[in-house]
Amino acid sequence: MSDPLIEQARLDWMTALARVGSEARRHARPVVEGVLTRMVGLTLEAVGCQAPIGARCDVINAGGERVETEVVGFAGDRLYLMPTSEVRGLTPNARVIPTHHGSDAQVGPELLGRVIDGRGRPLDDRGPLRARQKVALAGKEINPLARTPIRDVLDVGVRAINALCPIGRGQRMGLFAGSGVGKSILLGMMTRYTAADIVVVGLIGERGREVKEFVQEILGAQGLRKAVVVAAPADASPLSRIHGAMQATSIAEYFRDQGKNVLLLMDSLTRFAQAQREIALAIGEPPATKGYPPSVFARLPQLVERAGNGARNAGSITAFYTVLVEGDDHNDPIADAARAILDGHIVLSRQLADVGLYPAIDIESSISRLAPQITRPEQQRQIQQFKRIYGLYQHNRDLISVGAYQRGSDPAIDEAIRMQPKLIEFIAQDIEQSFGFDASLAELDALLASAADESAAAASAASAATDEAPA
């Protein structure tokens, strides 16, 4: 018969051995620390440790605090790190500790009504986040053949867009505008009035002042209940701005996978590209097009392609990306690249904004590539007729303004002159107004019907005048 003390010692030994084995399996690879050797601008260089691209490393500053960084490149035995937080107190030969895990995003219904930063930390005063689920910031790839086709119209509550540039549920649109032309106002209108289950807003690289204004004045308490706001303002690090855009997309993907119809608003895609440019140039990537390295143009489709309809039985992400056209140059490299990868674009005109027309939508230059698939032939004919009348006036605007055009010379131009005030009135909309899709179509139909009646009356009057003229 065995000794009870020996048996207990054996059990204690086996338990301790199992605990050590579990810890050894959890830390399969020993953590090899490195040291900080160089810091130029926001780029840190470390030697003595290894970590894959995208992995996080903690750098210990002089006060013993951890500065979070991410591996953005390497050369030989050197790692290039970019901080995700404020850099302060770093010294030569500071400890660099790889954490062996990449960046992720917290997701879950607990995020609704919250405002978070590019690192996923709460910016509001509502306590810590309770979301327990995590997903990779990079998202997951969807087989393009498995995506649900876009067939349903999305009501955005803006009359000019519903009637003249209709958007499909799951479409990805660009909002092209210069500075101060009213893109934030238009985004706010769509945030309020779009028929969506969830709204995810990414404020990337914009002024910090606009974050509070957007949350309190544009979204409001009612709109915030079904919204998540990710804010990475202009003073955040480039990596934090990139993570903010990716985090907003990851949150939208989570709700899409739950079967929700999500509206994703990102302001702006240009700031995202500029953040990637800062990182790429800092680690030595050569510039290619007007100062933008090739990695910028690779990053844009990687972000945009994550939006859209999900696989079968999933929801949708309808995305609006604002694109800042610097100096109103619509051939800017980012604007040009965005047009190629998006499903259409809405252009805001400074000329219209200067005369007080809001939203200042340039109907001639705006297009929805999916309009033929989601609208009836009758609406397509009405869109073409509206653009024909509107464009005819714009092309002859200078002649009309200086009085060089004589009424009666061209019946089509006469019609455009008569209809111009009504066309402008149709495009204009107060921020407090909302026009549903059916109401927008009804007003467009009434507008064009009145145009036909006025043209017929004008033709009849001209014919009568001709008949009464002396031979």
Side-chain angles (χ1 to χ4, degrees), residues 83 128 136 156 164 191 250 305 370 386 390 396 408 420 443 445 448:
V156 298
L164 304 173
T191 303
S250 294
E305 282 295 325
L370 291 176
F386 186 102
Y390 184 86
N396 294 276
Q420 180 66 11
E443 291 206 17
D445 185 65
L448 296 179

Side-chain angles (χ1 to χ4, degrees), residues 29 46 50 59 61 77 79 134 153 251 255 267 269 272 275 279 325 397 412 417 420 427 439 441-442 456:
R29 290 188 301 163
Q50 292 186 350
V59 182
N61 66 12
D77 61 346
L79 287 183
K134 291 186 177 182
V153 173
I251 294 171
F255 285 111
D267 186 15
L269 193 64
F272 171 82
I279 293 175
V325 287
R397 182 189 186 97
I417 295 174
Q420 180 66 11
I427 297 172
L441 294 188

Side-chain angles (χ1 to χ4, degrees), residues 125 130 139 196 204 218 336 351 366:
D125 297 324
R130 304 296 181 185
I204 311 302
I218 296 179
D336 208 31
Q351 185 180 26
S366 302

Side-chain angles (χ1 to χ4, degrees), residues 147 149 250 268 291 320 347 362 379 415 427 451 462:
R147 286 185 183 267
S250 294
S268 70
F320 286 87
V347 178
D362 186 346
Q379 183 181 356
E415 179 189 27
I427 297 172

Side-chain angles (χ1 to χ4, degrees), residues 80-94:
Y80 295 129
L81 310 176
M82 188 69 65
T84 60
S85 59
E86 186 177 0
V87 178
R88 185 177 296 172
L90 294 184
T91 59
N93 297 318

Side-chain angles (χ1 to χ4, degrees), residues 19 31 107 118 135 166 171 216 260 356:
R19 187 183 302 114
V31 177
V107 295
V135 296
Q171 191 168 347
Q216 293 185 350
K260 304 293 185 181

